[in-house]
């Protein structure tokens, strides 16, 4: 079993920054570091489908949605079993619930989400 807990969401004015964290726990991560697997951040705005924001592969390669390129950075700390999403130059359209996930053999796990609100 794997548990993912997101944190770091909140309210921020346009142009501001937030750093989201996704802490992983469970037996699989006591045996294997997070970088054995791929993790991702997704978001879902009201009335819209969940969309991919950023991913980081087991090899450390990253990929981003066009809408966040140059503003968001995904990273991983194996020692802390945590994946981060640094979000800079935030825009009102970034408002959404942000979810992290991790791939493991045979299953993808999701966190419960953290709300990010960008408004003045």
């Amino acid at each position: 079993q794997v548990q993912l807990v997101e944190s770091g969401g909140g309210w921020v004015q346009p142009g501001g920054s937030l750093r989201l964290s996704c802490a992983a726990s469970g037996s699989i991560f006591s045996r294997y570091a997070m970088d054995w697997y791929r993790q991702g951040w997704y978001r879902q705005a009201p009335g819209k489908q969940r969309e991919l924001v950023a991913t980081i592969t087991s090899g450390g390669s990253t990929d981003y949605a066009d809408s966040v390129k140059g503003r968001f950075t995904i990273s991983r700390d194996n020692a802390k079993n945590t994946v981060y999403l640094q979000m800079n130059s935030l825009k009102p359209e970034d408002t959404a619930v942000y979810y992290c996930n991790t791939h493991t053999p045979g299953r993808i796990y999701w966190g419960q989400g953290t709300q990010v609100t960008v408004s003045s």
Side-chain angles (χ1 to χ4, degrees), residues 1-119:
Q1 191 71 13
V2 171
Q3 296 82 41
L4 300 177
V5 179
E6 299 100 333
S7 62
W11 173 83
V12 64
Q13 292 186 330
S17 298
L18 285 173
R19 187 176 80 156
L20 305 183
S21 299
C22 173
S25 61
S27 59
I28 197 169
F29 291 117
S30 67
R31 291 177 290 159
Y32 301 101
M34 285 194 83
D35 64 0
W36 276 68
Y37 309 110
R38 172 186 173 185
Q39 286 84 41
W41 283 96
Y42 292 71
R43 67 186 181 187
Q44 187 167 18
K48 295 186 177 181
Q49 289 188 328
R50 189 173 298 190
E51 63 176 358
L52 174 67
V53 175
T55 59
I56 183 166
T57 69
S58 58
S61 297
T62 58
D63 195 17
Y64 299 90
D66 288 342
S67 59
V68 307
K69 280 181 180 176
R71 300 188 297 123
F72 290 12
T73 303
I74 187 171
S75 63
R76 182 168 56 203
D77 186 335
N78 285 328
K80 296 181 179 180
N81 280 347
T82 300
V83 176
Y84 302 99
L85 185 69
Q86 177 67 44
M87 306 187 294
N88 299 327
S89 302
L90 283 160
K91 305 175 181 179
E93 51 263 44
D94 295 318
T95 295
V97 178
Y98 283 70
Y99 301 89
C100 67
N101 76 2
T102 187
H103 291 241
T104 64
R107 185 170 173 178
I108 299 172
Y109 291 89
W110 291 87
Q112 82 292 344
T114 185
Q115 175 71 45
V116 172
T117 302
V118 185
S119 72

